PDB file of all heavy atoms in Angstrom:
ATOM      1  N   ASP A 520     -24.138 176.249 -59.037  1.00 98.00           N
ATOM      2  CA  ASP A 520     -22.983 175.356 -58.798  1.00 98.00           C
ATOM      3  C   ASP A 520     -21.986 175.672 -57.762  1.00 98.00           C
ATOM      4  O   ASP A 520     -20.839 175.235 -57.731  1.00 98.00           O
ATOM      5  CB  ASP A 520     -22.252 175.175 -60.183  1.00 98.00           C
ATOM      6  CG  ASP A 520     -21.719 176.465 -60.785  1.00 98.00           C
ATOM      7  OD1 ASP A 520     -22.011 177.558 -60.128  1.00 98.00           O
ATOM      8  OD2 ASP A 520     -21.049 176.528 -61.836  1.00 98.00           O
ATOM      9  N   GLU A 521     -22.356 176.675 -56.979  1.00 98.00           N
ATOM     10  CA  GLU A 521     -21.523 177.144 -55.861  1.00 98.00           C
ATOM     11  C   GLU A 521     -22.113 176.802 -54.491  1.00 98.00           C
ATOM     12  O   GLU A 521     -23.278 177.036 -54.267  1.00 98.00           O
ATOM     13  CB  GLU A 521     -21.370 178.717 -55.997  1.00 98.00           C
ATOM     14  CG  GLU A 521     -20.683 179.276 -57.189  1.00 98.00           C
ATOM     15  CD  GLU A 521     -20.654 180.708 -57.340  1.00 98.00           C
ATOM     16  OE1 GLU A 521     -21.122 181.438 -56.357  1.00 98.00           O
ATOM     17  OE2 GLU A 521     -20.140 181.255 -58.298  1.00 98.00           O
ATOM     18  N   LEU A 522     -21.250 176.331 -53.641  1.00 98.00           N
ATOM     19  CA  LEU A 522     -21.525 176.140 -52.164  1.00 98.00           C
ATOM     20  C   LEU A 522     -20.979 177.308 -51.407  1.00 98.00           C
ATOM     21  O   LEU A 522     -19.764 177.217 -51.185  1.00 98.00           O
ATOM     22  CB  LEU A 522     -21.265 174.738 -51.652  1.00 98.00           C
ATOM     23  CG  LEU A 522     -21.775 174.644 -50.246  1.00 98.00           C
ATOM     24  CD1 LEU A 522     -23.001 173.764 -50.272  1.00 98.00           C
ATOM     25  CD2 LEU A 522     -20.838 174.061 -49.286  1.00 98.00           C
ATOM     26  N   ASP A 523     -21.715 178.331 -51.114  1.00 98.00           N
ATOM     27  CA  ASP A 523     -21.293 179.477 -50.339  1.00 98.00           C
ATOM     28  C   ASP A 523     -21.442 179.112 -48.908  1.00 98.00           C
ATOM     29  O   ASP A 523     -22.446 178.756 -48.335  1.00 98.00           O
ATOM     30  CB  ASP A 523     -22.100 180.680 -50.770  1.00 98.00           C
ATOM     31  CG  ASP A 523     -21.654 182.008 -50.163  1.00 98.00           C
ATOM     32  OD1 ASP A 523     -21.062 182.070 -49.074  1.00 98.00           O
ATOM     33  OD2 ASP A 523     -21.937 183.011 -50.830  1.00 98.00           O
ATOM     34  N   VAL A 524     -20.391 179.383 -48.101  1.00 98.00           N
ATOM     35  CA  VAL A 524     -20.350 179.053 -46.647  1.00 98.00           C
ATOM     36  C   VAL A 524     -20.691 180.237 -45.728  1.00 98.00           C
ATOM     37  O   VAL A 524     -20.669 180.147 -44.554  1.00 98.00           O
ATOM     38  CB  VAL A 524     -19.126 178.239 -46.130  1.00 98.00           C
ATOM     39  CG1 VAL A 524     -19.024 177.004 -46.903  1.00 98.00           C
ATOM     40  CG2 VAL A 524     -17.860 179.135 -46.329  1.00 98.00           C
ATOM     41  N   PHE A 525     -20.906 181.421 -46.390  1.00 98.00           N
ATOM     42  CA  PHE A 525     -21.345 182.533 -45.669  1.00 98.00           C
ATOM     43  C   PHE A 525     -20.609 182.927 -44.349  1.00 98.00           C
ATOM     44  O   PHE A 525     -21.214 182.977 -43.297  1.00 98.00           O
ATOM     45  CB  PHE A 525     -22.843 182.603 -45.325  1.00 98.00           C
ATOM     46  CG  PHE A 525     -23.704 182.553 -46.630  1.00 98.00           C
ATOM     47  CD1 PHE A 525     -24.312 181.432 -47.189  1.00 98.00           C
ATOM     48  CD2 PHE A 525     -23.828 183.790 -47.324  1.00 98.00           C
ATOM     49  CE1 PHE A 525     -24.914 181.414 -48.384  1.00 98.00           C
ATOM     50  CE2 PHE A 525     -24.566 183.842 -48.456  1.00 98.00           C
ATOM     51  CZ  PHE A 525     -25.202 182.652 -49.046  1.00 98.00           C
ATOM     52  N   HIS A 526     -19.204 182.948 -44.529  1.00 98.00           N
ATOM     53  CA  HIS A 526     -18.435 183.452 -43.438  1.00 98.00           C
ATOM     54  C   HIS A 526     -18.980 184.820 -43.088  1.00 98.00           C
ATOM     55  O   HIS A 526     -19.102 185.112 -41.859  1.00 98.00           O
ATOM     56  CB  HIS A 526     -16.985 183.520 -43.847  1.00 98.00           C
ATOM     57  CG  HIS A 526     -16.085 184.206 -42.847  1.00 98.00           C
ATOM     58  ND1 HIS A 526     -16.028 183.797 -41.525  1.00 98.00           N
ATOM     59  CD2 HIS A 526     -15.365 185.331 -42.945  1.00 98.00           C
ATOM     60  CE1 HIS A 526     -15.237 184.607 -40.890  1.00 98.00           C
ATOM     61  NE2 HIS A 526     -14.840 185.552 -41.648  1.00 98.00           N
ATOM     62  N   ILE A 527     -19.379 185.596 -44.028  1.00 98.00           N
ATOM     63  CA  ILE A 527     -19.944 186.879 -43.815  1.00 98.00           C
ATOM     64  C   ILE A 527     -21.122 187.028 -44.723  1.00 98.00           C
ATOM     65  O   ILE A 527     -21.115 186.507 -45.827  1.00 98.00           O
ATOM     66  CB  ILE A 527     -18.857 187.990 -44.235  1.00 98.00           C
ATOM     67  CG1 ILE A 527     -17.751 188.059 -43.131  1.00 98.00           C
ATOM     68  CG2 ILE A 527     -19.439 189.316 -44.574  1.00 98.00           C
ATOM     69  CD1 ILE A 527     -16.517 188.891 -43.612  1.00 98.00           C
ATOM     70  N   PHE A 528     -22.263 187.614 -44.196  1.00 98.00           N
ATOM     71  CA  PHE A 528     -23.372 187.871 -45.005  1.00 98.00           C
ATOM     72  C   PHE A 528     -23.390 189.406 -45.309  1.00 98.00           C
ATOM     73  O   PHE A 528     -23.681 190.226 -44.436  1.00 98.00           O
ATOM     74  CB  PHE A 528     -24.707 187.434 -44.262  1.00 98.00           C
ATOM     75  CG  PHE A 528     -25.850 187.442 -45.314  1.00 98.00           C
ATOM     76  CD1 PHE A 528     -26.166 186.300 -45.932  1.00 98.00           C
ATOM     77  CD2 PHE A 528     -26.610 188.662 -45.531  1.00 98.00           C
ATOM     78  CE1 PHE A 528     -27.187 186.293 -46.886  1.00 98.00           C
ATOM     79  CE2 PHE A 528     -27.640 188.604 -46.385  1.00 98.00           C
ATOM     80  CZ  PHE A 528     -27.902 187.437 -47.143  1.00 98.00           C
ATOM     81  N   ALA A 529     -22.901 189.710 -46.437  1.00 98.00           N
ATOM     82  CA  ALA A 529     -22.661 191.119 -46.796  1.00 98.00           C
ATOM     83  C   ALA A 529     -23.775 191.621 -47.706  1.00 98.00           C
ATOM     84  O   ALA A 529     -24.110 191.105 -48.727  1.00 98.00           O
ATOM     85  CB  ALA A 529     -21.288 191.292 -47.541  1.00 98.00           C
ATOM     86  N   VAL A 530     -24.378 192.781 -47.321  1.00 98.00           N
ATOM     87  CA  VAL A 530     -25.407 193.454 -48.176  1.00 98.00           C
ATOM     88  C   VAL A 530     -24.846 194.767 -48.501  1.00 98.00           C
ATOM     89  O   VAL A 530     -23.886 195.247 -47.882  1.00 98.00           O
ATOM     90  CB  VAL A 530     -26.758 193.589 -47.402  1.00 98.00           C
ATOM     91  CG1 VAL A 530     -27.284 192.208 -47.113  1.00 98.00           C
ATOM     92  CG2 VAL A 530     -26.580 194.396 -46.147  1.00 98.00           C
ATOM     93  N   ARG A 531     -25.516 195.412 -49.522  1.00 98.00           N
ATOM     94  CA  ARG A 531     -25.029 196.850 -49.843  1.00 98.00           C
ATOM     95  C   ARG A 531     -26.229 197.726 -49.809  1.00 98.00           C
ATOM     96  O   ARG A 531     -27.354 197.289 -50.158  1.00 98.00           O
ATOM     97  CB  ARG A 531     -24.464 196.880 -51.250  1.00 98.00           C
ATOM     98  CG  ARG A 531     -22.951 196.242 -51.109  1.00 98.00           C
ATOM     99  CD  ARG A 531     -22.140 196.668 -52.409  1.00 98.00           C
ATOM    100  NE  ARG A 531     -22.671 196.092 -53.600  1.00 98.00           N
ATOM    101  CZ  ARG A 531     -23.143 196.806 -54.660  1.00 98.00           C
ATOM    102  NH1 ARG A 531     -23.028 198.170 -54.621  1.00 98.00           N
ATOM    103  NH2 ARG A 531     -23.620 196.263 -55.651  1.00 98.00           N
ATOM    104  N   HIS A 532     -25.924 198.943 -49.388  1.00 98.00           N
ATOM    105  CA  HIS A 532     -26.959 199.981 -49.359  1.00 98.00           C
ATOM    106  C   HIS A 532     -26.193 201.439 -49.600  1.00 98.00           C
ATOM    107  O   HIS A 532     -25.088 201.505 -48.948  1.00 98.00           O
ATOM    108  CB  HIS A 532     -27.780 200.013 -48.105  1.00 98.00           C
ATOM    109  CG  HIS A 532     -28.979 200.899 -48.084  1.00 98.00           C
ATOM    110  ND1 HIS A 532     -28.946 202.203 -47.809  1.00 98.00           N
ATOM    111  CD2 HIS A 532     -30.271 200.727 -48.474  1.00 98.00           C
ATOM    112  CE1 HIS A 532     -30.146 202.713 -47.960  1.00 98.00           C
ATOM    113  NE2 HIS A 532     -30.906 201.817 -48.431  1.00 98.00           N
ATOM    114  N   ALA A 533     -26.845 202.189 -50.304  1.00 97.00           N
ATOM    115  CA  ALA A 533     -26.182 203.562 -50.605  1.00 97.00           C
ATOM    116  C   ALA A 533     -25.886 204.313 -49.382  1.00 97.00           C
ATOM    117  O   ALA A 533     -24.999 204.983 -49.117  1.00 97.00           O
ATOM    118  CB  ALA A 533     -27.015 204.396 -51.631  1.00 97.00           C
ATOM    119  N   ARG A 534     -26.878 204.249 -48.328  1.00 97.00           N
ATOM    120  CA  ARG A 534     -26.728 204.913 -47.061  1.00 97.00           C
ATOM    121  C   ARG A 534     -26.215 204.019 -46.001  1.00 97.00           C
ATOM    122  O   ARG A 534     -26.805 203.892 -44.965  1.00 97.00           O
ATOM    123  CB  ARG A 534     -28.053 205.614 -46.692  1.00 97.00           C
ATOM    124  CG  ARG A 534     -28.416 206.703 -47.747  1.00 97.00           C
ATOM    125  CD  ARG A 534     -29.632 207.464 -47.333  1.00 97.00           C
ATOM    126  NE  ARG A 534     -29.264 208.154 -46.183  1.00 97.00           N
ATOM    127  CZ  ARG A 534     -30.030 208.418 -45.135  1.00 97.00           C
ATOM    128  NH1 ARG A 534     -31.340 207.941 -45.223  1.00 97.00           N
ATOM    129  NH2 ARG A 534     -29.683 209.077 -44.058  1.00 97.00           N
ATOM    130  N   ARG A 535     -25.187 203.239 -46.284  1.00 98.00           N
ATOM    131  CA  ARG A 535     -24.676 202.227 -45.370  1.00 98.00           C
ATOM    132  C   ARG A 535     -24.463 202.770 -43.946  1.00 98.00           C
ATOM    133  O   ARG A 535     -24.833 202.136 -42.990  1.00 98.00           O
ATOM    134  CB  ARG A 535     -23.399 201.644 -46.042  1.00 98.00           C
ATOM    135  CG  ARG A 535     -22.796 200.399 -45.279  1.00 98.00           C
ATOM    136  CD  ARG A 535     -21.748 200.698 -44.255  1.00 98.00           C
ATOM    137  NE  ARG A 535     -20.696 201.643 -44.641  1.00 98.00           N
ATOM    138  CZ  ARG A 535     -19.608 201.411 -45.335  1.00 98.00           C
ATOM    139  NH1 ARG A 535     -19.350 200.193 -45.780  1.00 98.00           N
ATOM    140  NH2 ARG A 535     -18.662 202.374 -45.564  1.00 98.00           N
ATOM    141  N   ASP A 536     -23.674 203.914 -43.911  1.00 98.00           N
ATOM    142  CA  ASP A 536     -23.249 204.366 -42.587  1.00 98.00           C
ATOM    143  C   ASP A 536     -24.541 204.727 -41.713  1.00 98.00           C
ATOM    144  O   ASP A 536     -24.587 204.502 -40.529  1.00 98.00           O
ATOM    145  CB  ASP A 536     -22.266 205.515 -42.761  1.00 98.00           C
ATOM    146  CG  ASP A 536     -21.057 205.095 -43.218  1.00 98.00           C
ATOM    147  OD1 ASP A 536     -20.667 203.905 -43.098  1.00 98.00           O
ATOM    148  OD2 ASP A 536     -20.245 205.940 -43.874  1.00 98.00           O
ATOM    149  N   ALA A 537     -25.527 205.374 -42.363  1.00 98.00           N
ATOM    150  CA  ALA A 537     -26.747 205.762 -41.690  1.00 98.00           C
ATOM    151  C   ALA A 537     -27.477 204.479 -41.241  1.00 98.00           C
ATOM    152  O   ALA A 537     -27.983 204.407 -40.158  1.00 98.00           O
ATOM    153  CB  ALA A 537     -27.679 206.568 -42.582  1.00 98.00           C
ATOM    154  N   LEU A 538     -27.500 203.514 -42.128  1.00 98.00           N
ATOM    155  CA  LEU A 538     -28.232 202.269 -41.842  1.00 98.00           C
ATOM    156  C   LEU A 538     -27.513 201.528 -40.586  1.00 98.00           C
ATOM    157  O   LEU A 538     -28.086 201.099 -39.693  1.00 98.00           O
ATOM    158  CB  LEU A 538     -28.245 201.346 -43.058  1.00 98.00           C
ATOM    159  CG  LEU A 538     -28.728 199.873 -42.821  1.00 98.00           C
ATOM    160  CD1 LEU A 538     -30.176 199.900 -42.310  1.00 98.00           C
ATOM    161  CD2 LEU A 538     -28.655 199.048 -44.157  1.00 98.00           C
ATOM    162  N   ARG A 539     -26.183 201.574 -40.668  1.00 98.00           N
ATOM    163  CA  ARG A 539     -25.447 200.873 -39.666  1.00 98.00           C
ATOM    164  C   ARG A 539     -25.622 201.555 -38.295  1.00 98.00           C
ATOM    165  O   ARG A 539     -25.831 200.941 -37.195  1.00 98.00           O
ATOM    166  CB  ARG A 539     -23.917 200.912 -39.911  1.00 98.00           C
ATOM    167  CG  ARG A 539     -23.161 200.092 -39.003  1.00 98.00           C
ATOM    168  CD  ARG A 539     -21.689 199.888 -39.423  1.00 98.00           C
ATOM    169  NE  ARG A 539     -21.143 199.010 -38.531  1.00 98.00           N
ATOM    170  CZ  ARG A 539     -19.844 198.948 -38.064  1.00 98.00           C
ATOM    171  NH1 ARG A 539     -19.036 199.982 -38.477  1.00 98.00           N
ATOM    172  NH2 ARG A 539     -19.452 198.092 -37.323  1.00 98.00           N
ATOM    173  N   GLY A 540     -25.641 202.931 -38.326  1.00 98.00           N
ATOM    174  CA  GLY A 540     -25.913 203.651 -37.057  1.00 98.00           C
ATOM    175  C   GLY A 540     -27.178 203.420 -36.479  1.00 98.00           C
ATOM    176  O   GLY A 540     -27.324 203.282 -35.321  1.00 98.00           O
ATOM    177  N   TRP A 541     -28.161 203.408 -37.407  1.00 97.00           N
ATOM    178  CA  TRP A 541     -29.534 203.285 -36.971  1.00 97.00           C
ATOM    179  C   TRP A 541     -29.722 201.820 -36.371  1.00 97.00           C
ATOM    180  O   TRP A 541     -30.430 201.642 -35.357  1.00 97.00           O
ATOM    181  CB  TRP A 541     -30.522 203.411 -38.201  1.00 97.00           C
ATOM    182  CG  TRP A 541     -31.910 203.530 -37.839  1.00 97.00           C
ATOM    183  CD1 TRP A 541     -32.630 204.675 -37.366  1.00 97.00           C
ATOM    184  CD2 TRP A 541     -32.911 202.424 -37.903  1.00 97.00           C
ATOM    185  NE1 TRP A 541     -33.868 204.245 -37.079  1.00 97.00           N
ATOM    186  CE2 TRP A 541     -34.124 202.957 -37.454  1.00 97.00           C
ATOM    187  CE3 TRP A 541     -32.725 201.150 -38.394  1.00 97.00           C
ATOM    188  CZ2 TRP A 541     -35.261 202.216 -37.449  1.00 97.00           C
ATOM    189  CZ3 TRP A 541     -33.929 200.405 -38.311  1.00 97.00           C
ATOM    190  CH2 TRP A 541     -35.165 200.894 -37.865  1.00 97.00           C
ATOM    191  N   LEU A 542     -29.220 200.823 -37.079  1.00 98.00           N
ATOM    192  CA  LEU A 542     -29.214 199.485 -36.438  1.00 98.00           C
ATOM    193  C   LEU A 542     -28.587 199.447 -35.142  1.00 98.00           C
ATOM    194  O   LEU A 542     -29.206 198.823 -34.247  1.00 98.00           O
ATOM    195  CB  LEU A 542     -28.495 198.507 -37.424  1.00 98.00           C
ATOM    196  CG  LEU A 542     -29.297 198.074 -38.641  1.00 98.00           C
ATOM    197  CD1 LEU A 542     -28.470 197.339 -39.716  1.00 98.00           C
ATOM    198  CD2 LEU A 542     -30.569 197.251 -38.281  1.00 98.00           C
ATOM    199  N   LEU A 543     -27.483 200.053 -34.901  1.00 98.00           N
ATOM    200  CA  LEU A 543     -26.840 200.076 -33.598  1.00 98.00           C
ATOM    201  C   LEU A 543     -27.777 200.620 -32.506  1.00 98.00           C
ATOM    202  O   LEU A 543     -27.960 200.096 -31.419  1.00 98.00           O
ATOM    203  CB  LEU A 543     -25.511 200.761 -33.674  1.00 98.00           C
ATOM    204  CG  LEU A 543     -24.681 200.652 -32.389  1.00 98.00           C
ATOM    205  CD1 LEU A 543     -24.301 199.291 -31.928  1.00 98.00           C
ATOM    206  CD2 LEU A 543     -23.371 201.490 -32.546  1.00 98.00           C
ATOM    207  N   ASP A 544     -28.452 201.824 -32.941  1.00 98.00           N
ATOM    208  CA  ASP A 544     -29.409 202.505 -31.968  1.00 98.00           C
ATOM    209  C   ASP A 544     -30.576 201.500 -31.642  1.00 98.00           C
ATOM    210  O   ASP A 544     -31.106 201.625 -30.541  1.00 98.00           O
ATOM    211  CB  ASP A 544     -29.965 203.640 -32.652  1.00 98.00           C
ATOM    212  CG  ASP A 544     -28.964 204.802 -32.802  1.00 98.00           C
ATOM    213  OD1 ASP A 544     -27.905 204.809 -32.129  1.00 98.00           O
ATOM    214  OD2 ASP A 544     -29.152 205.807 -33.524  1.00 98.00           O
ATOM    215  N   GLN A 545     -30.949 200.646 -32.546  1.00 98.00           N
ATOM    216  CA  GLN A 545     -32.009 199.697 -32.253  1.00 98.00           C
ATOM    217  C   GLN A 545     -31.481 198.460 -31.551  1.00 98.00           C
ATOM    218  O   GLN A 545     -32.206 197.433 -31.495  1.00 98.00           O
ATOM    219  CB  GLN A 545     -32.693 199.310 -33.641  1.00 98.00           C
ATOM    220  CG  GLN A 545     -33.061 200.462 -34.501  1.00 98.00           C
ATOM    221  CD  GLN A 545     -34.127 201.361 -33.750  1.00 98.00           C
ATOM    222  OE1 GLN A 545     -35.048 200.893 -33.275  1.00 98.00           O
ATOM    223  NE2 GLN A 545     -33.826 202.739 -33.827  1.00 98.00           N
ATOM    224  N   GLY A 546     -30.115 198.319 -31.346  1.00 98.00           N
ATOM    225  CA  GLY A 546     -29.647 197.179 -30.618  1.00 98.00           C
ATOM    226  C   GLY A 546     -29.084 196.041 -31.590  1.00 98.00           C
ATOM    227  O   GLY A 546     -29.091 194.895 -31.172  1.00 98.00           O
TER     228      GLY A 546
END
Side-chain angles (χ1 to χ4, degrees):
D520 57 356
E521 296 177 0
L522 186 102
D523 187 331
V524 296
F525 294 101
H526 171 58
I527 285 166
F528 193 91
V530 298
R531 284 195 298 121
H532 190 272
R534 300 190 59 216
R535 186 267 316 276
D536 292 336
L538 173 59
R539 187 173 188 214
W541 191 81
L542 281 169
L543 186 60
D544 290 344
Q545 310 299 311

